[in-house]
Amino acid sequence: MKKLALAAIIALTTTAITAKEIKVLPILTDSNYCLTPSLSLLGGYGAFSEANDGSTMYGVELAIACPALQLENLDIKQQISYVYSSNDGLTTNSIEFNPHVMFNIADKLQLGVGPGFGLVFADVEGGESDLVFGLNFGASLNYDITTSMFVGAEARYQWTTDADFGGGDTTLDNYRTLLKVGMHF
């Protein structure tokens, strides 16, 4: 987790240094602030570090313009996602907050990178349940098909605190690659 925290601090510090103007809490201080929400369906593949194989993961994501921080000429999208997975008797429901700094790399195409945090509700079939905290880092690509529709892809790695299912500690560290289909509102 220390490497993730260091990478996130370096990335955000570098971005902030290169920004000409930084607005803190624009939701409260900028009368022109607009949420610019988007909603997308997620689906793809992921695996836990202690699992023998991976499984399908799917969910939903709401993204808004970051209400806490704005950088001139760069968008920060605050992505709030729910991701479900079930494999080999382990079911997880993950709620995550993942701000991505978005870079325009071509017409209608954006690259996003950023850290995140979340909660993972885990349940072992016929056994115990646990709630663990996670930190993650991810990258995404989004392509606007029209002004209201987009497609995208995201890769993310998540480090978690250990879960206790009654038989000792289990790590729920995981990686995933998800495709997105969504709408801007």
Side-chain angles (χ1 to χ4, degrees):
M1 278 204 233
K2 290 179 184 177
K3 289 181 183 178
L4 169 67
L6 181 61
I9 290 168
I10 290 170
L12 294 177
T13 301
T14 302
T15 301
I17 288 170
T18 60
K20 292 183 170 95
E21 182 180 336
I22 299 172
K23 292 181 182 177
V24 178
L25 294 175
I27 194 168
L28 300 175
T29 61
D30 186 353
S31 61
N32 293 325
Y33 173 79
C34 181
L35 282 175
T36 60
S38 63
L39 185 64
S40 57
L41 297 175
L42 311 171
Y45 176 84
F48 293 91
S49 60
E50 289 191 358
N52 293 330
D53 57 354
S55 67
T56 302
M57 292 183 163
Y58 58 88
V60 63
E61 181 174 87
L62 171 67
I64 60 173
C66 185
L69 186 68
Q70 279 185 337
L71 306 174
E72 185 180 27
N73 299 327
L74 291 174
D75 291 330
I76 300 177
K77 285 209 177 218
Q78 175 56 64
Q79 301 171 136
I80 304 158
S81 58
Y82 163 78
V83 178
Y84 171 85
S85 174
S86 183
N87 186 32
D88 289 338
L90 174 65
T91 300
T92 61
N93 292 280
S94 181
I95 298 173
E96 300 170 5
F97 300 88
N98 306 304
H100 273 197
V101 177
M102 305 300 288
F103 300 93
N104 292 317
I105 57 174
D107 187 36
K108 301 181 184 182
L109 183 65
Q110 290 185 314
L111 168 70
V113 294
F117 67 93
L119 296 173
V120 181
F121 302 90
D123 183 48
V124 175
E125 185 179 319
E128 300 284 326
S129 298
D130 202 358
L131 171 66
V132 299
F133 178 75
L135 290 175
N136 57 61
F137 194 80
S140 61
L141 278 174
N142 288 334
Y143 179 75
D144 291 328
I145 298 170
T146 66
T147 56
S148 62
M149 293 193 65
F150 69 94
V151 293
E154 180 171 313
R156 179 170 303 284
Y157 191 88
Q158 183 177 58
W159 297 267
T160 65
T161 56
D162 288 341
D164 184 1
F165 298 119
D169 289 342
T170 302
T171 182
L172 294 179
D173 294 356
N174 64 86
Y175 67 88
R176 68 190 77 147
T177 303
L178 301 172
L179 299 178
K180 301 179 184 185
V181 176
M183 294 189 68
H184 299 294
F185 296 98

